[in-house]
Amino acid sequence: MIELLAVISLTIVVAVVPGPDFAVVLRNALIGGRLAGIMTALGIGLALGVHVTYALAGIGLLVSQSILLFNLLKLIGAGYLVFLGISMYRSASPDVPTSGAKAGMAPLTALRWGFLTNVTNPKATMFALSVFLQVTSPETPLWTQIGYGVIMASGVFAWFVLVTLFFTLAPVRARFLSMKLWMERSFGVLLTLFGIGLAVSTNSSRP
């Protein structure tokens, strides 16, 4: 029970703290609509499942002990965020999407955005690894650890679904879309800064 409460608490904290995942979900939900936001959240949840698999397989431990591998992963993630941010900034438009099929992005595109944003984030790998190293014990059964992983991925997914549902409420979405050009460019700059910050933090110290 103590382990379960610890896993739930850590998941809530990690999910709620704003970061690249939050920025991508919010942007896609506002611009692409509710389905785009939910599919982005699903992509993030699936990516977290990949990180959990790494941790359970011991790959996360290897990365955490290898400066070269960890920094390489950070640079890949940083490069993707910078690319995504610049693309978002350049594609910004004041045109407001209409309702229906023309309004949003394709579900698979939104899924890919969420998945790639999270799966290339080494902090997500370290989060999954820290849960299994600090919270669980050698006596914790494998199926219980898998259950913890499902809780983590499901919790993050549920949080971003709630974020999507709130920000796609008609009054809230209308307010944000009235500032669409500024908002898209801001999200682009924000993701670019996240990527640059991730790249700058790459150093010779152990994670």
Short mmCIF file of all heavy atoms in Angstrom, two decimals, residues 14-78:
data_model
loop_
_atom_site.label_atom_id
_atom_site.label_comp_id
_atom_site.label_asym_id
_atom_site.label_seq_id
_atom_site.Cartn_x
_atom_site.Cartn_y
_atom_site.Cartn_z
N VAL A 14 4.56 14.70 -11.19
CA VAL A 14 5.23 14.78 -12.49
C VAL A 14 4.26 15.22 -13.58
O VAL A 14 4.61 16.00 -14.47
CB VAL A 14 5.86 13.41 -12.85
CG1 VAL A 14 6.34 13.41 -14.30
CG2 VAL A 14 7.02 13.11 -11.92
N ALA A 15 3.01 14.75 -13.51
CA ALA A 15 2.02 15.10 -14.53
C ALA A 15 1.63 16.56 -14.45
O ALA A 15 1.49 17.24 -15.49
CB ALA A 15 0.79 14.21 -14.38
N VAL A 16 1.45 17.07 -13.25
CA VAL A 16 0.93 18.43 -13.07
C VAL A 16 1.96 19.51 -13.38
O VAL A 16 1.62 20.58 -13.88
CB VAL A 16 0.39 18.60 -11.63
CG1 VAL A 16 0.04 20.05 -11.34
CG2 VAL A 16 -0.84 17.72 -11.41
N VAL A 17 3.24 19.24 -13.10
CA VAL A 17 4.28 20.24 -13.36
C VAL A 17 4.36 20.53 -14.87
O VAL A 17 4.56 19.60 -15.66
CB VAL A 17 5.65 19.75 -12.84
CG1 VAL A 17 6.74 20.73 -13.25
CG2 VAL A 17 5.61 19.60 -11.33
N PRO A 18 4.20 21.78 -15.29
CA PRO A 18 4.22 22.11 -16.72
C PRO A 18 5.56 21.78 -17.37
O PRO A 18 6.61 21.95 -16.77
CB PRO A 18 3.96 23.63 -16.73
CG PRO A 18 3.28 23.92 -15.44
CD PRO A 18 3.91 22.96 -14.44
N GLY A 19 5.50 21.31 -18.60
CA GLY A 19 6.69 20.96 -19.36
C GLY A 19 6.32 20.82 -20.82
O GLY A 19 5.24 21.24 -21.24
N PRO A 20 7.20 20.21 -21.63
CA PRO A 20 6.91 20.04 -23.05
C PRO A 20 5.61 19.28 -23.31
O PRO A 20 4.87 19.62 -24.24
CB PRO A 20 8.13 19.25 -23.56
CG PRO A 20 9.21 19.55 -22.59
CD PRO A 20 8.54 19.72 -21.26
N ASP A 21 5.33 18.25 -22.52
CA ASP A 21 4.11 17.48 -22.71
C ASP A 21 2.88 18.37 -22.57
O ASP A 21 1.94 18.32 -23.38
CB ASP A 21 4.02 16.34 -21.69
CG ASP A 21 5.09 15.28 -21.91
OD1 ASP A 21 5.66 15.23 -23.03
OD2 ASP A 21 5.35 14.49 -20.99
N PHE A 22 2.86 19.19 -21.53
CA PHE A 22 1.74 20.08 -21.28
C PHE A 22 1.56 21.06 -22.43
O PHE A 22 0.44 21.31 -22.90
CB PHE A 22 1.95 20.84 -19.96
CG PHE A 22 0.78 21.69 -19.55
CD1 PHE A 22 -0.24 21.16 -18.77
CD2 PHE A 22 0.69 23.01 -19.95
CE1 PHE A 22 -1.32 21.93 -18.39
CE2 PHE A 22 -0.39 23.79 -19.58
CZ PHE A 22 -1.40 23.25 -18.79
N ALA A 23 2.67 21.63 -22.89
CA ALA A 23 2.61 22.61 -23.98
C ALA A 23 2.05 22.00 -25.25
O ALA A 23 1.22 22.61 -25.95
CB ALA A 23 4.00 23.19 -24.24
N VAL A 24 2.47 20.77 -25.57
CA VAL A 24 2.01 20.12 -26.80
C VAL A 24 0.54 19.74 -26.69
O VAL A 24 -0.23 19.94 -27.64
CB VAL A 24 2.88 18.87 -27.09
CG1 VAL A 24 2.25 18.03 -28.19
CG2 VAL A 24 4.28 19.29 -27.50
N VAL A 25 0.12 19.20 -25.56
CA VAL A 25 -1.29 18.84 -25.37
C VAL A 25 -2.17 20.09 -25.47
O VAL A 25 -3.21 20.08 -26.16
CB VAL A 25 -1.52 18.14 -24.02
CG1 VAL A 25 -3.01 18.00 -23.73
CG2 VAL A 25 -0.87 16.77 -24.01
N LEU A 26 -1.76 21.14 -24.79
CA LEU A 26 -2.56 22.37 -24.78
C LEU A 26 -2.66 22.95 -26.18
O LEU A 26 -3.75 23.34 -26.63
CB LEU A 26 -1.92 23.38 -23.83
CG LEU A 26 -2.70 24.68 -23.60
CD1 LEU A 26 -4.11 24.38 -23.11
CD2 LEU A 26 -1.95 25.55 -22.60
N ARG A 27 -1.56 23.01 -26.89
CA ARG A 27 -1.57 23.56 -28.24
C ARG A 27 -2.46 22.74 -29.16
O ARG A 27 -3.30 23.28 -29.88
CB ARG A 27 -0.13 23.61 -28.77
CG ARG A 27 -0.01 24.27 -30.15
CD ARG A 27 -0.12 23.28 -31.28
NE ARG A 27 -0.02 23.93 -32.58
CZ ARG A 27 -0.27 23.33 -33.73
NH1 ARG A 27 -0.64 22.05 -33.73
NH2 ARG A 27 -0.18 23.97 -34.88
N ASN A 28 -2.31 21.42 -29.15
CA ASN A 28 -3.08 20.58 -30.05
C ASN A 28 -4.56 20.59 -29.71
O ASN A 28 -5.42 20.52 -30.60
CB ASN A 28 -2.55 19.15 -30.02
CG ASN A 28 -1.20 19.02 -30.72
OD1 ASN A 28 -0.72 19.98 -31.32
ND2 ASN A 28 -0.60 17.85 -30.65
N ALA A 29 -4.87 20.65 -28.41
CA ALA A 29 -6.27 20.69 -28.00
C ALA A 29 -6.95 21.99 -28.45
O ALA A 29 -8.08 21.99 -28.93
CB ALA A 29 -6.39 20.54 -26.49
N LEU A 30 -6.23 23.11 -28.31
CA LEU A 30 -6.81 24.40 -28.67
C LEU A 30 -6.92 24.57 -30.18
O LEU A 30 -7.92 25.09 -30.69
CB LEU A 30 -5.97 25.52 -28.07
CG LEU A 30 -6.01 25.66 -26.54
CD1 LEU A 30 -4.97 26.67 -26.07
CD2 LEU A 30 -7.40 26.09 -26.08
N ILE A 31 -5.91 24.15 -30.89
CA ILE A 31 -5.88 24.34 -32.34
C ILE A 31 -6.59 23.21 -33.06
O ILE A 31 -7.36 23.43 -34.00
CB ILE A 31 -4.43 24.45 -32.85
CG1 ILE A 31 -3.69 25.56 -32.11
CG2 ILE A 31 -4.42 24.71 -34.36
CD1 ILE A 31 -4.34 26.92 -32.21
N GLY A 32 -6.36 21.98 -32.61
CA GLY A 32 -6.90 20.82 -33.32
C GLY A 32 -8.21 20.31 -32.79
O GLY A 32 -8.88 19.49 -33.44
N GLY A 33 -8.59 20.73 -31.59
CA GLY A 33 -9.84 20.25 -31.04
C GLY A 33 -9.65 19.17 -29.99
O GLY A 33 -8.54 18.72 -29.71
N ARG A 34 -10.77 18.74 -29.43
CA ARG A 34 -10.75 17.80 -28.31
C ARG A 34 -10.11 16.46 -28.68
O ARG A 34 -9.31 15.92 -27.92
CB ARG A 34 -12.17 17.59 -27.80
CG ARG A 34 -12.28 16.69 -26.59
CD ARG A 34 -13.64 16.84 -25.93
NE ARG A 34 -13.80 18.17 -25.34
CZ ARG A 34 -14.89 18.58 -24.71
NH1 ARG A 34 -15.94 17.77 -24.64
NH2 ARG A 34 -14.96 19.79 -24.20
N LEU A 35 -10.45 15.93 -29.85
CA LEU A 35 -9.88 14.63 -30.25
C LEU A 35 -8.37 14.71 -30.38
O LEU A 35 -7.65 13.81 -29.96
CB LEU A 35 -10.50 14.16 -31.56
CG LEU A 35 -9.98 12.83 -32.11
CD1 LEU A 35 -10.20 11.70 -31.10
CD2 LEU A 35 -10.64 12.50 -33.45
N ALA A 36 -7.87 15.82 -30.94
CA ALA A 36 -6.43 15.99 -31.10
C ALA A 36 -5.74 16.02 -29.74
O ALA A 36 -4.67 15.43 -29.56
CB ALA A 36 -6.12 17.27 -31.87
N GLY A 37 -6.36 16.71 -28.78
CA GLY A 37 -5.78 16.76 -27.44
C GLY A 37 -5.75 15.41 -26.78
O GLY A 37 -4.75 15.02 -26.15
N ILE A 38 -6.84 14.65 -26.92
CA ILE A 38 -6.90 13.32 -26.30
C ILE A 38 -5.91 12.37 -26.96
O ILE A 38 -5.24 11.58 -26.28
CB ILE A 38 -8.34 12.76 -26.40
CG1 ILE A 38 -9.28 13.58 -25.50
CG2 ILE A 38 -8.38 11.29 -25.99
CD1 ILE A 38 -10.74 13.20 -25.62
N MET A 39 -5.78 12.44 -28.27
CA MET A 39 -4.83 11.57 -28.96
C MET A 39 -3.39 11.95 -28.60
O MET A 39 -2.52 11.08 -28.50
CB MET A 39 -5.03 11.64 -30.47
CG MET A 39 -6.34 11.04 -30.95
SD MET A 39 -6.52 9.29 -30.49
CE MET A 39 -5.26 8.55 -31.54
N THR A 40 -3.12 13.23 -28.40
CA THR A 40 -1.80 13.66 -27.95
C THR A 40 -1.52 13.10 -26.56
O THR A 40 -0.42 12.61 -26.28
CB THR A 40 -1.70 15.19 -27.92
OG1 THR A 40 -2.04 15.73 -29.20
CG2 THR A 40 -0.29 15.64 -27.56
N ALA A 41 -2.53 13.16 -25.69
CA ALA A 41 -2.40 12.59 -24.34
C ALA A 41 -2.15 11.09 -24.41
O ALA A 41 -1.34 10.55 -23.64
CB ALA A 41 -3.66 12.89 -23.53
N LEU A 42 -2.83 10.41 -25.33
CA LEU A 42 -2.63 8.97 -25.49
C LEU A 42 -1.20 8.67 -25.93
O LEU A 42 -0.57 7.72 -25.45
CB LEU A 42 -3.62 8.41 -26.50
CG LEU A 42 -3.52 6.90 -26.80
CD1 LEU A 42 -3.72 6.09 -25.52
CD2 LEU A 42 -4.54 6.49 -27.87
N GLY A 43 -0.68 9.49 -26.84
CA GLY A 43 0.70 9.30 -27.29
C GLY A 43 1.69 9.45 -26.15
O GLY A 43 2.65 8.68 -26.03
N ILE A 44 1.43 10.42 -25.27
CA ILE A 44 2.29 10.62 -24.11
C ILE A 44 2.21 9.42 -23.17
O ILE A 44 3.23 8.95 -22.66
CB ILE A 44 1.90 11.91 -23.37
CG1 ILE A 44 2.23 13.13 -24.24
CG2 ILE A 44 2.61 12.02 -22.01
CD1 ILE A 44 1.68 14.43 -23.72
N GLY A 45 1.00 8.92 -22.94
CA GLY A 45 0.83 7.75 -22.09
C GLY A 45 1.54 6.53 -22.64
O GLY A 45 2.19 5.78 -21.90
N LEU A 46 1.45 6.32 -23.96
CA LEU A 46 2.13 5.19 -24.58
C LEU A 46 3.65 5.34 -24.48
O LEU A 46 4.37 4.36 -24.26
CB LEU A 46 1.71 5.08 -26.05
CG LEU A 46 0.26 4.69 -26.31
CD1 LEU A 46 -0.06 4.74 -27.81
CD2 LEU A 46 -0.04 3.30 -25.76
N ALA A 47 4.14 6.57 -24.66
CA ALA A 47 5.58 6.81 -24.55
C ALA A 47 6.07 6.53 -23.15
O ALA A 47 7.15 5.97 -22.95
CB ALA A 47 5.90 8.25 -24.96
N LEU A 48 5.27 6.92 -22.15
CA LEU A 48 5.66 6.63 -20.77
C LEU A 48 5.72 5.13 -20.54
O LEU A 48 6.56 4.64 -19.78
CB LEU A 48 4.67 7.29 -19.80
CG LEU A 48 5.06 7.26 -18.32
CD1 LEU A 48 6.45 7.85 -18.11
CD2 LEU A 48 4.04 8.01 -17.48
N GLY A 49 4.85 4.40 -21.23
CA GLY A 49 4.91 2.94 -21.16
C GLY A 49 6.24 2.41 -21.68
O GLY A 49 6.77 1.42 -21.17
N VAL A 50 6.79 3.09 -22.71
CA VAL A 50 8.10 2.71 -23.24
C VAL A 50 9.18 2.95 -22.18
O VAL A 50 10.06 2.11 -21.97
CB VAL A 50 8.42 3.52 -24.52
CG1 VAL A 50 9.86 3.26 -24.97
CG2 VAL A 50 7.45 3.16 -25.63
N HIS A 51 9.10 4.09 -21.50
CA HIS A 51 10.07 4.38 -20.45
C HIS A 51 9.98 3.37 -19.31
O HIS A 51 11.00 2.95 -18.75
CB HIS A 51 9.84 5.79 -19.89
CG HIS A 51 10.10 6.88 -20.87
ND1 HIS A 51 11.33 7.07 -21.46
CD2 HIS A 51 9.29 7.84 -21.39
CE1 HIS A 51 11.27 8.11 -22.28
NE2 HIS A 51 10.05 8.59 -22.25
N VAL A 52 8.77 2.97 -18.97
CA VAL A 52 8.58 1.96 -17.93
C VAL A 52 9.21 0.64 -18.36
O VAL A 52 9.87 -0.04 -17.56
CB VAL A 52 7.07 1.76 -17.63
CG1 VAL A 52 6.85 0.54 -16.76
CG2 VAL A 52 6.51 3.00 -16.94
N THR A 53 9.03 0.30 -19.62
CA THR A 53 9.63 -0.94 -20.14
C THR A 53 11.15 -0.87 -20.05
O THR A 53 11.81 -1.85 -19.67
CB THR A 53 9.21 -1.17 -21.60
OG1 THR A 53 7.78 -1.25 -21.67
CG2 THR A 53 9.80 -2.47 -22.14
N TYR A 54 11.72 0.29 -20.41
CA TYR A 54 13.17 0.48 -20.27
C TYR A 54 13.61 0.22 -18.83
O TYR A 54 14.60 -0.48 -18.58
CB TYR A 54 13.56 1.92 -20.63
CG TYR A 54 13.54 2.25 -22.09
CD1 TYR A 54 13.54 3.58 -22.52
CD2 TYR A 54 13.51 1.26 -23.07
CE1 TYR A 54 13.53 3.91 -23.86
CE2 TYR A 54 13.49 1.58 -24.41
CZ TYR A 54 13.50 2.90 -24.80
OH TYR A 54 13.48 3.22 -26.12
N ALA A 55 12.87 0.82 -17.91
CA ALA A 55 13.24 0.71 -16.50
C ALA A 55 13.17 -0.73 -16.03
O ALA A 55 14.07 -1.22 -15.34
CB ALA A 55 12.34 1.59 -15.64
N LEU A 56 12.11 -1.43 -16.39
CA LEU A 56 11.94 -2.82 -15.96
C LEU A 56 12.98 -3.74 -16.60
O LEU A 56 13.42 -4.71 -15.98
CB LEU A 56 10.54 -3.32 -16.32
CG LEU A 56 9.38 -2.72 -15.52
CD1 LEU A 56 8.04 -3.23 -16.04
CD2 LEU A 56 9.53 -3.04 -14.04
N ALA A 57 13.38 -3.40 -17.83
CA ALA A 57 14.36 -4.23 -18.53
C ALA A 57 15.79 -3.92 -18.10
O ALA A 57 16.73 -4.62 -18.48
CB ALA A 57 14.23 -4.05 -20.03
N GLY A 58 15.95 -2.86 -17.31
CA GLY A 58 17.29 -2.50 -16.85
C GLY A 58 18.02 -1.55 -17.77
O GLY A 58 19.13 -1.10 -17.46
N ILE A 59 17.39 -1.21 -18.91
CA ILE A 59 18.05 -0.30 -19.84
C ILE A 59 18.15 1.09 -19.23
O ILE A 59 19.15 1.80 -19.40
CB ILE A 59 17.27 -0.24 -21.17
CG1 ILE A 59 17.25 -1.64 -21.82
CG2 ILE A 59 17.88 0.77 -22.13
CD1 ILE A 59 16.44 -1.72 -23.08
N GLY A 60 17.10 1.48 -18.49
CA GLY A 60 17.13 2.78 -17.85
C GLY A 60 18.29 2.91 -16.88
O GLY A 60 18.92 3.96 -16.77
N LEU A 61 18.58 1.83 -16.17
CA LEU A 61 19.71 1.84 -15.24
C LEU A 61 21.02 2.02 -15.99
O LEU A 61 21.91 2.76 -15.56
CB LEU A 61 19.73 0.54 -14.43
CG LEU A 61 20.85 0.41 -13.40
CD1 LEU A 61 20.75 1.53 -12.37
CD2 LEU A 61 20.80 -0.95 -12.72
N LEU A 62 21.14 1.35 -17.14
CA LEU A 62 22.34 1.48 -17.96
C LEU A 62 22.53 2.92 -18.42
O LEU A 62 23.63 3.48 -18.33
CB LEU A 62 22.26 0.55 -19.18
CG LEU A 62 23.39 0.67 -20.20
CD1 LEU A 62 24.72 0.30 -19.58
CD2 LEU A 62 23.10 -0.22 -21.41
N VAL A 63 21.43 3.54 -18.89
CA VAL A 63 21.50 4.92 -19.35
C VAL A 63 21.87 5.85 -18.20
O VAL A 63 22.67 6.78 -18.36
CB VAL A 63 20.15 5.34 -19.98
CG1 VAL A 63 20.14 6.84 -20.27
CG2 VAL A 63 19.90 4.55 -21.26
N SER A 64 21.29 5.60 -17.03
CA SER A 64 21.55 6.47 -15.89
C SER A 64 22.99 6.39 -15.42
O SER A 64 23.50 7.31 -14.79
CB SER A 64 20.61 6.11 -14.72
OG SER A 64 20.99 4.87 -14.14
N GLN A 65 23.69 5.30 -15.73
CA GLN A 65 25.07 5.12 -15.31
C GLN A 65 26.07 5.48 -16.41
O GLN A 65 27.26 5.46 -16.18
CB GLN A 65 25.30 3.67 -14.87
CG GLN A 65 24.48 3.27 -13.65
CD GLN A 65 24.77 4.12 -12.44
OE1 GLN A 65 25.92 4.40 -12.12
NE2 GLN A 65 23.72 4.57 -11.76
N SER A 66 25.56 5.79 -17.61
CA SER A 66 26.44 6.12 -18.73
C SER A 66 26.27 7.58 -19.11
O SER A 66 25.21 7.99 -19.60
CB SER A 66 26.13 5.22 -19.93
OG SER A 66 26.83 5.68 -21.07
N ILE A 67 27.29 8.38 -18.87
CA ILE A 67 27.23 9.80 -19.21
C ILE A 67 27.01 9.97 -20.71
O ILE A 67 26.20 10.79 -21.15
CB ILE A 67 28.53 10.50 -18.79
CG1 ILE A 67 28.68 10.45 -17.26
CG2 ILE A 67 28.55 11.93 -19.28
CD1 ILE A 67 30.01 10.97 -16.79
N LEU A 68 27.72 9.20 -21.52
CA LEU A 68 27.63 9.33 -22.97
C LEU A 68 26.22 9.02 -23.47
O LEU A 68 25.64 9.80 -24.23
CB LEU A 68 28.64 8.40 -23.63
CG LEU A 68 28.63 8.40 -25.17
CD1 LEU A 68 28.97 9.79 -25.69
CD2 LEU A 68 29.62 7.38 -25.71
N LEU A 69 25.66 7.89 -23.03
CA LEU A 69 24.33 7.51 -23.49
C LEU A 69 23.28 8.50 -23.02
O LEU A 69 22.37 8.87 -23.77
CB LEU A 69 23.99 6.10 -22.99
CG LEU A 69 24.69 4.93 -23.67
CD1 LEU A 69 24.28 3.62 -23.03
CD2 LEU A 69 24.36 4.91 -25.16
N PHE A 70 23.40 8.93 -21.77
CA PHE A 70 22.42 9.85 -21.23
C PHE A 70 22.46 11.19 -21.98
O PHE A 70 21.42 11.74 -22.35
CB PHE A 70 22.67 10.08 -19.74
CG PHE A 70 21.62 10.93 -19.08
CD1 PHE A 70 20.38 10.41 -18.76
CD2 PHE A 70 21.88 12.24 -18.76
CE1 PHE A 70 19.41 11.18 -18.15
CE2 PHE A 70 20.92 13.04 -18.14
CZ PHE A 70 19.68 12.50 -17.84
N ASN A 71 23.65 11.72 -22.20
CA ASN A 71 23.78 12.99 -22.91
C ASN A 71 23.35 12.88 -24.36
O ASN A 71 22.78 13.82 -24.92
CB ASN A 71 25.22 13.49 -22.82
CG ASN A 71 25.54 14.06 -21.45
OD1 ASN A 71 24.65 14.37 -20.67
ND2 ASN A 71 26.82 14.18 -21.14
N LEU A 72 23.61 11.72 -24.97
CA LEU A 72 23.16 11.52 -26.34
C LEU A 72 21.64 11.53 -26.41
O LEU A 72 21.05 12.15 -27.30
CB LEU A 72 23.70 10.19 -26.88
CG LEU A 72 23.28 9.81 -28.31
CD1 LEU A 72 23.77 10.87 -29.30
CD2 LEU A 72 23.82 8.43 -28.67
N LEU A 73 21.01 10.87 -25.45
CA LEU A 73 19.55 10.86 -25.39
C LEU A 73 19.01 12.27 -25.17
O LEU A 73 18.00 12.67 -25.77
CB LEU A 73 19.09 9.93 -24.26
CG LEU A 73 17.57 9.76 -24.08
CD1 LEU A 73 16.95 9.20 -25.34
CD2 LEU A 73 17.28 8.84 -22.90
N LYS A 74 19.67 13.03 -24.32
CA LYS A 74 19.24 14.40 -24.06
C LYS A 74 19.34 15.26 -25.33
O LYS A 74 18.44 16.06 -25.62
CB LYS A 74 20.08 15.02 -22.95
CG LYS A 74 19.78 14.46 -21.56
CD LYS A 74 20.69 15.06 -20.50
CE LYS A 74 20.36 16.50 -20.25
NZ LYS A 74 21.15 17.07 -19.12
N LEU A 75 20.43 15.08 -26.08
CA LEU A 75 20.60 15.88 -27.29
C LEU A 75 19.57 15.53 -28.35
O LEU A 75 19.07 16.40 -29.07
CB LEU A 75 22.02 15.68 -27.84
CG LEU A 75 23.14 16.34 -27.03
CD1 LEU A 75 24.50 15.96 -27.59
CD2 LEU A 75 22.96 17.86 -27.02
N ILE A 76 19.23 14.25 -28.45
CA ILE A 76 18.19 13.84 -29.40
C ILE A 76 16.86 14.48 -29.02
O ILE A 76 16.13 15.01 -29.86
CB ILE A 76 18.07 12.31 -29.45
CG1 ILE A 76 19.34 11.70 -30.07
CG2 ILE A 76 16.84 11.89 -30.26
CD1 ILE A 76 19.38 10.19 -30.02
N GLY A 77 16.54 14.39 -27.74
CA GLY A 77 15.30 14.98 -27.27
C GLY A 77 15.29 16.49 -27.45
O GLY A 77 14.28 17.07 -27.85
N ALA A 78 16.42 17.13 -27.17
CA ALA A 78 16.51 18.58 -27.33
C ALA A 78 16.33 18.98 -28.79
O ALA A 78 15.62 19.94 -29.11
CB ALA A 78 17.86 19.07 -26.81
#
